[in-house]
Amino acid sequence: MVAIAQRELAAHGPASLEETVARAVAVGLMAGELQRGTDVEAVVQRALSGFEDALATRATATVAQLDELTARLADTEQATRQAAATALADLPARLSAVLGGEAANVQEAVRQAATTVQAEALSQLARVVSSHTEQVRSTLSTDNPMSPLSAAKREITASVDGARRELAEGIAAVRGMIQAQQAGQAAGRRNPNVAGTAWETLVADHLASFAAATGDVVEHVGSTPAPGSNSRKAGDVVLCVLSSGARPTIAVECKNRSRALSVREAQQALSDARRVRRATVGLLVVPDETHVPGPSRFCRVGAVDFVVAADDPTAFTLVLSVLRELSLVIAAGQQPGASVDVGQAQTAVGHALELLPRWDELTRHISSGEKSLASIRTSAETLRRVLTGHLQEAARALRPGSHAG
């Protein structure tokens, strides 16, 4: 938004920026109303139509008044011409009458008659023009309440004030919506249920990717009651292993809390999840190793219950692979007359479970070693540049003529 405003200001100036912001506010208000499901298009259309009709009506009335003024101006001009013609029409007759008198007084009488006629004509013409000018000034003055231009000014000012009020109300509404959204987001961050749901979705997505590779099925059951119950919802995700006839399941609990669960709390949560979801193995997935009750990303809290941190996708996937095989071994051991070597499989899976913490520890050492090696390489490169600089300085000093003395 800031970049758009800067570009608009640089390209078209402050006036264009104000217009763009006003349009953006209107569009934002319309979008907010649409999100609330109201018929904003009809409301905006009615508002715009009303504003347009009001301006059109006022403009039509103003044009009509100006047309009337033009007609009155034409009539006044015609009256002025007629008055001047009437005042000067009898001038020849008066001159003839004067010339028919005594010869000695002809010139003086003609002069006086002409002066009288001209004065009368000019006086009448001045009165007409003065009245005409006053009418024009009164009509065109915005200080005259009866002037059409004054009425148009009042109408336009009222329209602008109304638009300003609507814009202020719209900005206040947008500010209120933003504050409400921020408050909702803050409440969501404080609400452990909202954070927990997001964490469940993230873990379920990772399990779905794992199941797609192994041919298994993942069910996101966090909001679904358990079989045979109307209220029990322990167990957020269930991984159904389809590689055997028994089809064992792994009940997955997703916990993203500010305080890590203790070993007893983890045992209780996984025991409830396995019982409610009728699962073979229980797995508690937490964000990182600080939430694991142990020194690594993986911890065994019961015979078939485990805790794993999901911050390392490779380690998480490896743990899922081992627990998947463990569920198959347990399911095979529960089937009478199984044709597989359950004992050997149990031994192999047991060794794998024992090696998981060691693998995590080795991974940590490898990561630390890579960081140390990168630091050593950086130090070696710095030392090489320093040595090269000293050698170049020595070479310059040994050149003939390098010594001034």
Side-chain angles (χ1 to χ4, degrees), residues 72-111:
R72 290 169 59 187
L73 291 177
D75 294 340
T76 304
E77 292 175 356
Q78 181 65 25
T80 302
R81 287 194 296 270
Q82 290 177 356
T86 301
L88 298 176
D90 60 344
L91 181 59
R94 290 186 181 184
L95 291 175
S96 298
V98 172
L99 291 174
E102 296 181 1
N105 300 323
V106 170
Q107 292 182 355
E108 182 64 22
V110 170
R111 186 185 64 80

Side-chain angles (χ1 to χ4, degrees), residues 54-289:
L55 288 182
T57 303
R58 184 64 261 177
T60 302
T62 303
V63 171
Q65 292 175 343
L66 291 177
D67 291 339
E68 181 182 356
L69 172 63
T70 303
R72 290 169 59 187
L73 291 177
D75 294 340
T76 304
E77 292 175 356
Q78 181 65 25
T80 302
R81 287 194 296 270
Q82 290 177 356
T86 301
L88 298 176
D90 60 344
L91 181 59
R94 290 186 181 184
L95 291 175
S96 298
V98 172
L99 291 174
E102 296 181 1
N105 300 323
V106 170
Q107 292 182 355
E108 182 64 22
V110 170
R111 186 185 64 80
Q112 292 179 355
T115 301
T116 302
V117 171
Q118 289 176 353
E120 183 180 353
L122 291 176
S123 176
Q124 187 173 358
L125 182 61
R127 289 194 300 270
V128 172
V129 172
S130 176
S131 176
H132 169 263
T133 303
E134 184 62 27
Q135 290 180 357
V136 172
R137 183 181 296 108
S138 176
T139 302
L140 298 180
S141 175
T142 57
D143 296 330
N144 181 11
M146 303 303 296
S147 170
L149 294 182
S150 179
K153 176 183 177 181
R154 290 194 299 271
E155 292 290 340
I156 294 175
T157 301
S159 299
V160 171
D161 291 340
R164 287 177 179 174
R165 286 193 299 271
E166 292 178 2
L167 182 59
E169 293 173 358
I171 293 176
V174 171
R175 185 180 294 110
M177 292 165 56
I178 293 175
Q179 292 175 350
Q181 182 181 13
Q182 291 175 346
Q185 292 176 349
R189 287 191 295 268
R190 293 192 299 268
N191 189 350
N193 294 330
V194 176
T197 301
W199 178 241
E200 289 176 17
T201 303
L202 184 63
V203 174
D205 291 342
H206 186 90
L207 289 173
S209 300
F210 175 80
T214 58
D216 300 327
V217 176
V218 170
E219 298 179 8
H220 196 171
V221 296
S223 58
T224 305
S229 174
N230 294 326
S231 59
R232 296 303 303 276
K233 297 181 180 180
D236 299 321
V237 184
V238 173
L239 175 63
C240 302
V241 181
L242 304 180
S243 298
S244 67
R247 295 191 176 183
T249 58
I250 301 175
V252 180
E253 274 284 335
C254 308
K255 299 296 183 184
N256 183 12
R257 299 180 177 179
S258 57
R259 181 185 64 84
L261 272 66
S262 64
V263 173
R264 178 170 297 181
E265 291 172 337
Q267 290 174 342
Q268 184 63 40
L270 292 175
S271 177
D272 290 344
R274 283 191 295 103
R275 183 177 64 258
V276 171
R277 299 301 173 184
R278 301 174 183 176
T280 307
V281 176
L283 177 63
L284 176 62
V285 183
V286 296
D288 52 54
E289 61 181 301

